[in-house]
Amino acid sequence: MNRSEPLVLGIESSCDETGVGIVRGDTLLTNAVSSSMEEHVRFGGVIPEIASRAHLDAFVPTLRQALDEAGVTLDDVDAIAVTSGPGLAGALMVGVCAAKALAVATGKPLYAINHLVAHVGVGVLDGGKLPEDLGALLVSGGHTEILRVGSLTTNVQLLGSTIDDAAGEAYDKVARILGLGYPGGPAIDKLAREGDPKAIRFPRGLTQPKYMGTAEVPGPHRYDWSFSGLKTAVARCVEQYEAAGQELPVADIAASFQEAVVDVITSKAVLACTEQGITNLLLGGGVAANSRLRELTAERCAAAGISLRVPPIRLCTDNGAMVAALGAQIVMAGGEPSGIDFTPDPSQPVTSIHLPAA
């Protein structure tokens, strides 16, 4: 196997995107993605069983598309990487079973990859080697986390995370309250541009002194987030306007909600970086497409002297390229294959970067 510039095929199926990406070393060759989002719209959120069936239907066509676009065959591939977790159990199972079948059929080594760390690893495809003193702020429909990345392939530490809803979940739930449909993130981001972000002061969760503590004596949730109370506050606000028979200022509510989310996300992320000696930050995950989050993160990082790196939006959402990218880094670092006896782990911790052989 070529360990200097391995040709790695990556498979992603943790939620509602079927992704197959191919990289050579840290060069992206192709990134084919099939989304089942339209099948979930009428339900207002991702339905796991529908997502799993969609992966079954989409995998082979997406694989063929990726191979054609990259101009390679399965025989050319040096290794296969697949998301083993975290994610939806049934969705993960489809991708893992497909990857195992390919590994057995081709005799290629298989690497079971952590979905969250892959969101960081994708950074090598847009700017090359990741800097030292690196942190990662991952914001998506299922996760909101701040990480310290000592080594992309061997040492990733969780500094803080949401204790209830992820930011993306909060967007979807608030969009439903406001009648904006699914997915909520793009709809709220667009509408918020027409509203006043200071019209309503919504709560910033876990920012009270009892949760924050001090730098010397950190509180229990100094770097953590909570968006459940914010979602409830929006619901109560809507109820008050309706009870009073007043017209609902939807744009102002959307803007004020969004400002509450991005304010607390960015302030705690920059706090964690500053106190933990992190001088470089990567922003990733699907919600990294949010214009206000990108703007405020850039503004606050610049003020704190933190260098910010944001991959292109197409590489921030779930995709196979990020899995292939991290897989290639592990291969180049001499990591051992996972074999085919591992099982998907819907709750795979971020410290488990790739699963060792059983």
Side-chain angles (χ1 to χ4, degrees), residues 57-81:
D57 293 337
F59 178 74
V60 172
T62 307
L63 173 63
R64 286 175 174 159
Q65 177 188 344
L67 292 170
D68 289 344
E69 290 176 353
V72 300
T73 68
L74 286 173
D75 286 339
D76 298 324
V77 170
D78 290 308
I80 297 168

Side-chain angles (χ1 to χ4, degrees), residues 86 116 136-140 142-148 157-169 205-207 211-212 219-228 264-265 268-269 272 347-351:
L116 296 175
L137 174 59
L138 304 182
V139 190
S140 70
H143 304 277
T144 305
E145 302 187 341
I146 180 76
L147 314 176
R148 183 211 298 275
Q157 177 187 358
L158 178 66
L159 297 179
S161 65
T162 178
I163 65 171
D164 41 54
D165 290 348
E169 287 178 295
L206 300 185
T207 57
Y211 298 121
M212 295 291 291
H221 296 295
R222 188 166 181 79
Y223 305 143
D224 292 333
W225 295 277
S226 169
F227 300 107
S228 180
V264 72
I265 286 178
K268 286 206 169 194
S347 302
Q348 187 172 336
V350 73
T351 50

Side-chain angles (χ1 to χ4, degrees), residues 2-341:
N2 179 1
R3 283 193 178 268
S4 59
E5 281 197 324
L7 185 67
V8 179
L9 183 147
I11 298 168
E12 156 62 23
S13 70
S14 65
C15 191
D16 61 342
E17 277 98 9
T18 307
V20 179
I22 300 175
V23 305
R24 190 185 300 278
D26 57 9
T27 301
L28 175 63
L29 301 185
T30 187
N31 184 30
V33 179
S34 174
S35 175
S36 63
M37 182 178 293
E38 290 302 319
E39 298 180 45
H40 305 281
V41 168
R42 65 191 177 102
F43 300 103
V46 176
I47 305 301
E49 292 81 1
I50 293 176
S52 299
R53 288 196 294 269
H55 288 309
L56 284 169
D57 293 337
F59 178 74
V60 172
T62 307
L63 173 63
R64 286 175 174 159
Q65 177 188 344
L67 292 170
D68 289 344
E69 290 176 353
V72 300
T73 68
L74 286 173
D75 286 339
D76 298 324
V77 170
D78 290 308
I80 297 168
V82 62
T83 297
S84 54
L88 302 175
L92 288 169
M93 185 66 74
V94 175
V96 166
C97 287
K100 288 181 178 181
L102 287 178
V104 170
T106 61
K108 307 295 182 179
L110 178 60
Y111 292 79
I113 299 297
N114 187 297
H115 173 86
L116 296 175
V117 184
H119 272 300
V120 184
V122 78
V124 304
L125 303 179
D126 181 58
K129 185 179 178 181
L130 294 174
E132 297 181 356
D133 298 326
L134 178 66
L137 174 59
L138 304 182
V139 190
S140 70
H143 304 277
T144 305
E145 302 187 341
I146 180 76
L147 314 176
R148 183 211 298 275
V149 185
S151 164
L152 181 62
T153 58
T154 61
N155 180 16
V156 176
Q157 177 187 358
L158 178 66
L159 297 179
S161 65
T162 178
I163 65 171
D164 41 54
D165 290 348
E169 287 178 295
Y171 268 90
D172 287 339
K173 291 174 180 177
V174 167
R176 191 179 309 145
I177 292 170
L178 298 178
L180 300 179
Y182 174 85
I188 289 179
D189 191 18
K190 181 179 179 180
L191 186 61
R193 296 176 194 139
E194 304 171 14
D196 178 3
K198 297 181 180 179
I200 305 164
R201 174 70 185 185
F202 286 125
R204 275 65 167 163
L206 300 185
T207 57
Q208 296 177 24
K210 65 179 179 179
Y211 298 121
M212 295 291 291
T214 64
E216 294 75 21
V217 186
H221 296 295
R222 188 166 181 79
Y223 305 143
D224 292 333
W225 295 277
S226 169
F227 300 107
S228 180
L230 172 59
K231 173 198 65 181
T232 302
V234 173
R236 295 292 174 268
C237 175
V238 171
E239 289 172 0
Q240 288 170 5
Y241 274 98
E242 291 176 342
Q246 298 176 337
E247 182 180 352
L248 197 64
V250 181
D252 285 348
I253 294 175
S256 299
F257 160 76
Q258 176 161 277
E259 195 65 18
V261 172
V262 300
D263 178 26
V264 72
I265 286 178
T266 55
S267 62
K268 286 206 169 194
V270 169
L271 177 68
C273 289
T274 303
E275 293 184 350
Q276 297 296 321
I278 294 170
T279 56
N280 299 280
L281 182 67
L282 182 143
L283 172 63
V287 182
N290 181 275
S291 62
R292 182 57 180 150
L293 177 61
R294 294 164 80 95
E295 176 186 28
L296 192 56
T297 304
E299 179 184 315
R300 287 182 167 171
C301 281
I306 298 167
S307 174
L308 178 65
R309 192 159 167 176
V310 187
I313 291 174
R314 64 189 174 86
L315 296 180
C316 286
T317 53
D318 293 348
N319 62 84
M322 69 185 199
V323 180
L326 180 55
Q329 295 298 310
I330 291 171
V331 170
M332 290 188 286
E336 292 299 315
S338 303
I340 61 170
D341 292 331

